[in-house]
Amino acid sequence: MQYENIILENRQNVQVLFINRPKVLNALNEQTLLEIEAALKGFADDQSLSVMIITGSGDRAFVAGADIEAQYPLNAVEGRNWALLGHRVFRLIETIDKPVIAAINGFALGGGCELAMACDIRLASDKAQLGQPEVSLGITPGYGGTQRLTRLVGEGKAKQLVFTGQRIKAGEAHRIGLVDEVYPHETLLDEAVKMAEVIASNAPLAVRYAKIQINQSLQINSDIATAVEAGLFGICYATKDQKEGMGAFLEKRKPVFEGK
Ligand code: COA
C-alpha cells in the first residue's frame, strides 16, 4: 500500500509510525485509519520488528482528533460506521501480540487521546495536552474513549474529562494515570526509542504472552460496550447539535446548542 498520510521509519527492530497530516494537526480521516491498519498488519507480520512507536508529524500535535470536516456531513448510519472503523483499528493495536507505544508529542484530543489509550504504553512530551472534547461538538467519544479512559483513570475522572471536554496538560495526565511518563519535548522520541529497545532486548515470546495476559485481565465485555458506544455515537449525527457543534468549529465561532 502506498501511504499518503503516514510515514514509517525503521530503527533496527523498532518501527516508528508518524501520522502525517500536519496541516490539520494530524486529524484522523478514513484514509489515515486504513493506512494505520495496513501498517499495523505489516508490523505484526514482520519478524524483524519487535516494537512499534506511534507519534505525530510536526511539532504541535500527536493527533488533534478525528477529522471534523469529514465528520460534519455524516448521518447516523455513517456515524456508526465511522466509529466502527476506529474501533477496528484501535482494537488491532491492542490485540497485536507485540508492544505498541504512543509518543504523545503535542495535542492528543478526541480520537487522538483514544488512539494513545489503545496503545500499550503512553509517553508524553511536556508540551502535550490531552482531552476528550467531543461533547463541545455535539457528539460523544466514538473510538473507545468511554471504555479505555474509564479503565485508565477511573469513573469520576473519566466523567469529568468527558463531560467538561476540557484539555489537561501532560503533568496532570501523568498524575491521574492517563500517561505513564513525561519527558522534555525535544527528547520524547529518543526516550520512546530507548524504552522500545529495552523491551526489544527481552524474550519476544514472553513479552507477547505478557501483553495477552494483561489484556485478558481488562476484558469486561468490551465488545458489547463498544458496540453500544458506536450506536450512540452514530445517533449523535441525527441531532441538530452535531451539525451546530462541528459547523461552528469549521466556521471558527462558538456553538449555540438547542438540545435537539
Ligand atoms: N479536524 C479537522 N481539522 C482540524 C482538527 C480536527 N480535529 N483539529 C485541527 N484542525 C485544523 C484546523 O481547522 C486548522 O485548519 P485551518 O488552518 O485550515 O484553519 C488547523 O488544523 C490548525 O488548527 P487551529 O484550530 O487553527 O490551531 P489552534 O492552535 O488555534 O488550536 C486545537 C489547536 C487543537 C486546540 C484546535 O485545533 C482544536 O480544538 N481542534 C479540534 C479538537 C477536537 O475537538 N477534536 C475532537 C474531534 S471529534
Side-chain angles (χ1 to χ4, degrees):
M1 183 175 193
Q2 193 72 24
Y3 297 126
E4 285 170 22
N5 298 338
I6 66 168
I7 297 170
L8 293 176
E9 213 176 271
N10 290 357
R11 303 190 181 190
Q12 294 175 343
N13 48 5
V14 176
Q15 183 166 63
V16 186
L17 185 160
F18 293 88
I19 296 166
N20 186 38
R21 299 184 77 212
K23 282 189 185 153
V24 287
L25 302 182
N26 302 324
L28 298 174
N29 59 6
E30 186 183 0
Q31 171 72 18
T32 310
L33 283 170
L34 291 172
E35 290 185 15
I36 295 171
E37 183 176 47
L40 285 166
K41 287 181 178 166
F43 164 68
D45 291 344
D46 188 334
Q47 295 310 312
S48 71
L49 294 172
S50 304
V51 181
M52 177 180 271
I53 296 170
I54 299 181
T55 192
S57 283
D59 209 32
R60 297 197 59 216
F62 174 69
V63 167
D67 190 314
I68 298 171
E69 194 168 2
Q71 283 178 92
Y72 174 74
L74 301 185
N75 63 32
V77 172
E78 291 164 340
R80 181 169 174 274
N81 287 339
W82 180 275
L84 291 177
L85 174 61
H87 285 316
R88 191 175 87 204
V89 178
F90 291 6
R91 187 84 180 118
L92 183 58
I93 294 173
E94 230 168 30
T95 52
I96 249 175
D97 65 353
K98 296 183 199 178
V100 181
I101 297 174
I104 306 167
N105 59 314
F107 292 115
L109 304 174
C113 190
E114 290 168 308
L115 169 61
M117 290 191 291
C119 295
D120 297 304
I121 300 168
R122 280 155 294 286
L123 310 179
S125 129
D126 55 5
K127 288 192 183 161
Q129 292 190 39
L130 296 92
Q132 297 289 155
E134 287 89 345
V135 294
S136 71
L137 296 162
I139 58 170
T140 65
Y143 286 166
T146 54
Q147 311 306 303
R148 295 191 180 98
L149 186 61
T150 307
R151 267 184 237 147
L152 279 171
V153 304
E155 180 190 340
K157 266 290 164 208
K159 286 181 174 167
Q160 182 188 337
L161 286 169
V162 171
F163 295 174
T164 65
Q166 284 173 344
R167 301 197 290 269
I168 56 171
K169 294 188 174 158
E172 173 66 358
H174 184 238
R175 193 185 70 77
I176 65 174
L178 182 50
V179 302
D180 303 301
E181 302 289 345
V182 180
Y183 299 105
H185 186 70
E186 301 69 31
T187 67
L188 174 68
L189 190 54
D190 287 345
E191 293 289 353
V193 171
K194 243 190 261 174
M195 187 180 287
E197 283 169 349
V198 172
I199 295 170
S201 72
N202 289 322
L205 288 176
V207 172
R208 288 174 191 199
Y209 298 158
K211 174 167 174 172
I212 295 167
Q213 287 163 229
I214 295 171
N215 281 355
Q216 280 304 314
S217 75
L218 297 171
Q219 273 289 346
I220 36 166
N221 265 330
S222 178
D223 290 339
I224 295 170
T226 50
V228 171
E229 184 190 76
L232 293 172
F233 175 84
I235 286 170
C236 292
Y237 290 88
T239 69
K240 272 190 177 174
D241 282 350
Q242 176 267 328
K243 294 289 177 281
E244 172 60 16
M246 294 196 171
F249 177 82
L250 296 172
E251 290 159 20
K252 301 190 189 299
R253 61 174 175 82
K254 270 198 174 312
V256 181
F257 293 124
E258 294 178 53
K260 292 181 186 163

